[in-house]
Amino acid sequence: MTEKIATREAYGNTLVELGRENRDIVVLDADLAKSTKTIKFKKNFPERFFDLGIAEQNMIGTAAGLAAAGKIPFCSSFAVFATGRAFEQVRNSVAYSGLNVKIAASHAGVTVGEDGGSHQSVEDIALMRVLPGMTVFVPADAVETAGAVRAAVSLDGPVYIRLGRPAVPVLHGPDFRFVPGKGVVLRKGKDATVIATGIMVSAALEAAELLAKEGIEAGVLDLHTIKPLDVEAVVAAARETGALVTAEEHSIIGGLGSAVAEAVAEHCPVPVKRVGLPDRFGESGAPAELLEKFKLTPQNLVSSVKEILTRK
Amino acid sequence: MEIKQLRAKAKEIRRHIIRMLGRAGSGHPGGSLSAADMVTALLFREMRLKPSEPDWPDRDRFVMSKGHAAPLLYAALAERGFFPVDELMTLRGLGSRLQGHPDMKKLPGVEMSTGSLGQGLAAANGMALATRLDGKDCRVYVLLGDGEIQEGMVWEAAMAAAHYKLDHLTAFVDHNGLQIDGPVARVMSPEPVAEKWRAFGWHTICIDGHDMEQILNALSEARTIKGRPTMIVAETVKGKGCSFMEGQEDWHGVAPNPEETEKALLEMV
Ligand SMILES: Cc1ncc(C[n+]2csc(CCOP(=O)(O)OP(=O)(O)O)c2C)c(N)n1
Ligand SMILES: [Mg+2]
């Protein structure tokens, strides 16, 4: 069995490593340090950790000031609150001002589970992607998470990192190099390509495996960076396989599916099928039940690939 | 309902909370138990309600601003007759009307969808403005957490309620001293709480939030106050009624396992 680690866990661990390497890194949270795993940083570097309480807007505003004064702040909360509640602070105090603030939000998507739709962010990628100058990372596993967090430090400017609650399979080996803005071809295809992000990458790999048994060669392109989008890799997949299925634990509006559809519509029109939440909120249930209900499973990706093949 | 019956009802509601969470395997016991006496007083004595007609225009309104105390709200609504008590056991399950946090589109008696902290008081203000515009004598109630009042929006709404002289609005702060990351005073102190609400123009009463008589007296006093809203700052114990949960921050958002559930229920007979 492959090892499983939650991306939020990997985030907490990487923050501790970075805290040792770089004295300018500071971490902010809004009464969710145990859940976002910033508590690991707090334990190691209490003087560089600031809990703002249940006050996400104040957290983002404070981070803007810290960044303006030369620090590298990482801000964490649940994705709904970090990007939604504090949206306009992110827009004006951070993005408009071009400040070096990193927003690493956990509990994104429906795998939040039983807490329900009020807590399941299915819109954060869209909200962050629309902001000029914002880099958006959606890591698929612990290795990509570590890479994304390190890349965020080396990039000057605002970065959003989307993290999840449940443990997910580790897909990459220790030699994996995370290159911001560069998609990762995990599997070459001929008939169609599944372009996936976050937890849907492992589902895409499983789907490709199942399709291969039926003689359908589906490629898998892992886009851990939604912005800037790797247009070259997307267009190459469109050219080489002629049909695309996008897969994300997010609304089909405004996220990966939209970004890919925009790119191919401009550069290389081919049939595109977007898999994600169909313009609705999530709801309570066990994470696995919800993935099933919202058709975010390898089996559904298999059907989606077959469907898109009929439109080629 | 008389005081003795209210006390018994609060106990029954606490038992529901433990059973529901034990069954669901996740959820928030601490803040549900700490506010049980106040919510019981509201739904079973103070408020004008018609469970058979949840949308009755003349009803009083209650907003559970600290939406993670959904088990408490659901148990009280079911006991009050808004939906079958049996349904409580579906809490947090796929397809249940009892979502992890209250969803007004799904469940009768839920006046506002909450769960994102800090937003309930503004919504309560809106209800108070609307019922006043309609010339109705409805009263509006809202329950806030003591961590929740760290949200800036709470104070924007506090200012507005006083500005618009919403004297038919009564709020509680469940002052249990704990939030997720630890004691409220250590995470981000909102103290002195009562003085802040007073400074914002509210009539402010401090009580023991587990003393039914004090709760009822404060609610009666609120009815006599004209020209400004009333805040009841209630000193409470998080996890009240369950010995191993009382005052423990780790029981904020963890459900009891089967043995713990049984142990808790034995204490609550
Ligand atoms: C806007 C927002 N931020 C964060 C959370 C996560 N959260 C849920 S409960 C809680 C702590 C609440 O503490 P308090 O208000 O004191 O409630 P109580 O002690 O009564 O349970 C937090 C931070 C949330 N639900 N909403
Ligand atoms: Mg509290």
Side-chain angles (χ1 to χ4, degrees), chain A residues 108 192 245:
Chain A
V245 171

Coordinates of all heavy atoms in Angstrom, one line a residue, chain A residues 108 192 245:
Chain A
A108 N -10.0 22.4 2.0 CA -10.6 22.8 0.8 C -11.4 21.6 0.2 O -11.0 20.4 0.5 CB -9.5 23.2 -0.2
A192 N -7.0 10.4 -25.3 CA -7.6 11.6 -24.5 C -6.6 11.9 -23.4 O -5.7 11.0 -23.1 CB -8.9 11.3 -23.9
V245 N -10.3 15.8 -20.5 CA -11.2 15.8 -19.3 C -10.5 16.5 -18.2 O -9.3 16.1 -17.9 CB -11.6 14.3 -18.9 CG1 -12.3 14.3 -17.6 CG2 -12.4 13.6 -20.0

